[in-house]
Amino acid sequence: MERVKCLIIGSGPAGYTAAIYAGRANIKPVVYEGLEPGGQLTTTTTVDNFPGYPEGVDGPQLMEDLRQQALRFGADIRSGIITKAELDKKPFVVTTDEGTQIEADSVIISTGASAKYLGLADEKKYAGEGVSACATCDGFFYRKKVVAVVGGGDTACEDATYLAGLAKKVYLVVRKTYLRASKIMQERVLNTPNIEVLFEHNAIGLYGEKGVEGVHLVKRKGEKDESYYDIPIDGFFLAIGHKPNSDIFKSYLETDEVGYIKTINGTPLTKIPGVFAADVADPRYRQAITAAASGCKAAIEVERYLTTL
Ligand code: NDP
């Protein structure tokens, strides 16, 4: 069986940054890129808020740059998915989707989280053309335009408020009769004149010739009384939560109720020495730059840990 000093699972900004640091430390990390090589940023257009790119950079280009930088320092980047991780033995044993088993002295979990979508076919159809799950990434492109945000939690309220500072009008589409968000966020939304909250509404489709031009809504007044109508919008933002990609680790590591891995005192250390959690431990910031930082921290911890073996 192949044995590696450091196995990095996931290839978003966290995974590649961990690979850059571990590579420079001569650890020769092996990276498994996972289901979505390059991670969530490969599904976005321009990234304006990653330091170092004064003119912005395309998401896929940014990820390719990080990948190349990791390769320069000797990272062994492989396509493939880790489907099983046995973290109760040393060395750890991971299994790929092709059934290959690898022994690893240390593991960095940088599998991140995936934004949840409603599951409408139109979300895929208009991906990158008016549909976004990241208001801070894409809001800038909707200055003086009309957008809809779906969701009723803190993220949705925060996104709606943020977008209201840019867009002409924001519709907040909430499926219940109330907002689940904290009181202060609710008040902020309800006191912002250019946000209109549509309670008891569901988005059931999008339309438009060149990207999103409107949303089909249904207002549920009762079981038998549903009314359908359309509103013109330029952008459709999902804010209905994220799902951390932590399922295969859950039997070994503690997670919060959503699935983010719990770490020790804000470090990437988990309760298993040698296993480090990067972006998959962050329910709060979820930005490319904070993910990159989490990968950096995890790689530094790996370096320290390997000297103790
Ligand atoms: P939440 O799970 O709290 O909220 C998700 C929202 O999306 C809910 O209103 C839910 O509706 C709605 N929703 C889910 N699925 C659907 C669907 N299929 N169709 C329509 N609506 C749907 O996720 P958040 O991302 O908002 O927050 C996650 C955590 O992060 C929370 O603990 C939150 O407090 C925290 N957070 C804190 C912030 C802060 O303190 N500044 C900022 C952002 C997040 P329903 O209510 O009907 O279930």
Side-chain angles (χ1 to χ4, degrees), residues 164-184:
L166 298 162
K168 187 165 65 184
K169 165 116 193 179
V170 179
Y171 292 100
L172 184 58
V173 182
V174 183
R175 67 179 171 183
K176 291 208 172 119
T177 52
Y178 59 88
L179 292 165
R180 179 206 286 229
S182 53
K183 200 87 196 136
I184 184 163

Side-chain angles (χ1 to χ4, degrees), residues 12 49 61 83 87 91 98 111 124 150 163 167 178 222 229 237 248 253 263 291-292 299 302:
N49 53 7
Q61 183 61 51
T83 52
L87 303 180
E98 288 183 338
T111 46
K124 285 205 181 96
V150 182
L163 289 166
Y178 59 88
Y229 64 103
F237 286 83
I248 62 167
L253 298 172
T263 54
V302 160

Side-chain angles (χ1 to χ4, degrees), residues 117-118 150-156 158 173 175-176 178 180 185 202 239-242 283-284 286:
Y117 285 81
L118 295 171
V150 182
D154 278 318
T155 301
E158 199 168 77
V173 182
R175 67 179 171 183
K176 291 208 172 119
Y178 59 88
R180 179 206 286 229
M185 292 304 293
N202 282 295
I240 59 171
H242 284 76
R284 193 174 174 91
R286 301 185 308 234

